[in-house]
Amino acid sequence: MTLPELLAPAGNLEKLKIAFRFGADAVFVGGKVFGLRKYADNFDLTELKAGVDLANQLGKQVYVVLNGFAHEADMDALHDHLAELEAIQPHGFIISDMGVFQLAKRLTTIPLHVSTQASVTNAAACQFWKEAGASRIILAREVSVAECREILAEVETELEVFVHGAMCASYSGKCVISNYSAGRDSNRGGCVQSCRHPYHVADDHGPDAAYTRHIMNAKDLNALMLLPEIVQSGIASLKIEGRMKSNLYLANSVRAYRLALDAIANGLEGDALQDHLTRLSTDLSLVSNRQFTTGGVDHPLDADSVNRDFGHYEKSIELVGTVKETSDQWIWVDLKGGLMVSDTLGVLGETGHHPLPFDEIRSYAGRVLPHGNPNSVIQLAKTFECQPLDILYKQVSHAH
Ligand code: SF4
């Protein structure tokens, strides 16, 4: 059995390392321009080179996202950027704009992946892009696994689909709500998630019928339980979404999909496989989500694909920080969120989720602190065997 590639988001170099450590075969990263995630950290060229070098050592892949729609004013910079990227030799570009595709084909030797933003939904479109030089097609999010099988019966090409992460109310990411609400262009990396807000809705029956609801708040995709069918379909790559999501989301989701894919490869079947997938799915729902749907993958998006009544995230754990260094007795943690001595800590490492009891917080240099401040480095007693790039989290007492 050939397992599909597990492809994870990497918003920065640390996330790239975490994704590889927890089992991703490949990552997608944004450059400083043309990456459609203006507010992710993104990679400068030095970081990108370091990421590609690491991937080459590990036998993994780094794909660079160039999926903005370029305007004339962008073209000179794009020429220069492509030349810089050619020197670094990432393992693929993810592109939606035909102009960018043509330029990348002419100016570089990098394999070209057609982005989901290009809204490819049928075999004829795959054939078109294949003849244009694409080595992989990332299908529109609206294409089901059954349709992928039909496409693969007609066209021999690598297909990639989304399996996990935030969905949105646009068609394959094409949206102008943020342009209208905030003057930011979603199609050039400026989405401000305007669809997540509550909207005041009135109908023909007058003001009494007015109500406020999150009418466009798409649930998150979670196709973990469908992996056996997806693996059977011959799809080449499975993408987890979320370059701006936390280290905890990244490690937790990559680990769950890695374990699920490996279990399938190792021949786990029937009830035992279903039980395993159900346990892993429970792990996925620990971390912030907008409730889950399989809409788009096994059935068309529908009313159940939207979380109308709830504009926030559900979670039972949240990120505290990432382990930077360890000694025999101590761990040093890069704190992202604050930490109180009364918090209940857990650690996510390669062997899974474990409690991390602690009764004092120390500064980097070892001074006892009343609490840990966000964006500082603290020292904790090593009450469980931790490694650098393990993820610390705390229990949240109620859903947010
Ligand atoms: S505003 Fe919402 S629907 Fe539009 S691109 Fe952003 S997340 Fe998608």
Side-chain angles (χ1 to χ4, degrees):
M1 175 192 297
T2 313
L3 273 192
E5 167 190 89
L6 180 58
L7 174 56
N12 57 40
L13 191 55
E14 183 180 68
K15 287 180 178 170
L16 176 146
K17 292 175 185 169
I18 290 170
F20 286 159
R21 177 157 188 262
F22 283 86
D25 302 305
V27 294
F28 59 103
V29 308
K32 292 288 184 197
V33 285
F34 302 114
L36 271 200
R37 281 291 174 271
K38 255 182 190 163
Y39 308 109
D41 295 346
N42 291 330
F43 284 64
D44 64 23
L45 294 173
T46 311
E47 291 161 338
L48 181 61
K49 170 97 174 61
V52 170
D53 286 349
L54 177 63
N56 287 336
Q57 281 166 28
L58 299 171
K60 303 196 178 212
Q61 317 276 307
V62 176
Y63 308 135
V64 174
V65 180
L66 296 172
N67 64 348
F69 288 91
H71 287 231
E72 277 305 302
D74 301 322
M75 285 315 207
D76 286 346
L78 181 58
H79 263 87
D80 296 347
H81 192 44
L82 286 170
E84 292 165 342
L85 293 172
E86 171 68 4
I88 293 173
Q89 289 282 307
H91 307 89
F93 288 149
I94 300 173
I95 296 177
S96 4
D97 180 306
M98 287 187 199
V100 177
F101 188 94
Q102 280 295 67
L103 264 188
K105 185 170 147 183
R106 187 152 57 80
L107 300 178
T108 78
T109 57
I110 311 298
L112 305 177
H113 300 184
V114 177
S115 165
T116 194
Q117 310 281 130
S119 299
V120 176
T121 53
N122 57 66
C126 291
Q127 187 65 39
F128 168 86
W129 279 111
K130 188 181 168 183
E131 284 167 17
S135 63
R136 177 183 294 187
I137 319 285
I138 306 162
L139 292 168
R141 296 189 187 192
E142 295 75 17
V143 179
S144 68
V145 180
E147 290 176 299
C148 290
R149 276 200 302 270
E150 289 175 36
I151 289 171
L152 286 170
E154 284 194 49
V155 188
E156 199 180 317
T157 184
E158 278 188 13
L159 294 184
E160 178 182 311
V161 296
F162 284 79
V163 287
H164 195 85
M167 303 285 278
C168 73
S170 64
Y171 194 87
S172 278
K174 293 212 189 65
C175 169
V176 288
I177 310 174
S178 295
N179 303 55
Y180 294 163
S181 63
R184 308 248 188 136
D185 189 346
S186 302
N187 296 300
R188 306 180 80 206
C191 164
V192 292
Q193 308 251 329
S194 307
C195 62
R196 307 294 180 191
H197 300 164
Y199 287 89
H200 196 56
V201 185
D203 64 20
D204 292 345
H205 302 297
D208 288 350
Y211 56 95
T212 301
R213 292 184 95 180
H214 299 268
I215 51 173
M216 292 181 280
N217 184 30
K219 290 180 185 171
D220 292 351
L221 176 64
N222 175 355
L224 187 96
M225 298 302 292
L226 304 174
L227 279 187
E229 184 190 344
I230 294 172
V231 169
Q232 289 277 326
S233 70
I235 293 167
S237 178
L238 308 182
K239 180 182 263 174
I240 295 171
E241 175 284 338
R243 275 183 283 153
M244 293 171 66
K245 297 269 180 74
S246 73
N247 289 0
L248 175 61
Y249 162 91
L250 177 65
N252 192 54
S253 53
V254 169
R255 178 177 173 276
Y257 279 86
R258 175 79 275 147
L259 290 177
L261 288 171
D262 289 349
I264 293 168
N266 290 332
L268 202 64
E269 288 178 333
D271 289 348
L273 178 59
Q274 284 304 306
D275 290 350
H276 188 56
L277 296 181
T278 303
R279 276 196 300 279
L280 294 173
S281 206
T282 307
D283 282 354
L284 288 173
S285 50
L286 295 173
V287 174
S288 71
N289 65 82
R290 298 184 182 94
Q291 297 184 348
F292 292 123
T293 176
T294 53
V297 178
D298 66 343
H299 65 276
L301 295 164
D302 55 18
D304 189 49
S305 309
V306 177
N307 191 348
R308 281 182 191 71
D309 300 319
F310 191 69
H312 303 284
Y313 292 100
E314 293 189 359
K315 58 185 172 185
S316 49
I317 59 175
E318 68 184 15
L319 177 69
V320 166
T322 305
V323 176
K324 270 176 83 78
E325 300 168 41
T326 64
S327 69
D328 287 347
Q329 289 182 317
W330 302 101
I331 58 173
W332 285 267
V333 182
D334 208 350
L335 274 194
K336 196 74 181 165
L339 181 64
M340 311 292 288
V341 181
S342 55
D343 286 330
T344 303
L345 270 187
V347 61
L348 174 57
E350 277 172 294
T351 57
H353 291 265
H354 301 279
L356 188 75
F358 74 110
D359 53 18
E360 62 180 17
I361 302 168
R362 292 175 177 246
S363 69
Y364 183 80
R367 188 165 47 86
V368 176
L369 299 172
H371 52 80
N373 284 322
N375 302 316
S376 64
V377 177
I378 56 146
Q379 186 183 343
L380 296 173
K382 191 161 86 172
T383 55
F384 182 80
E385 187 57 44
C386 293
Q387 303 293 331
L389 296 182
D390 281 358
I391 311 295
L392 260 60
Y393 57 81
K394 63 184 176 189
Q395 304 291 332
V396 291
S397 44
H398 53 85
H400 290 258

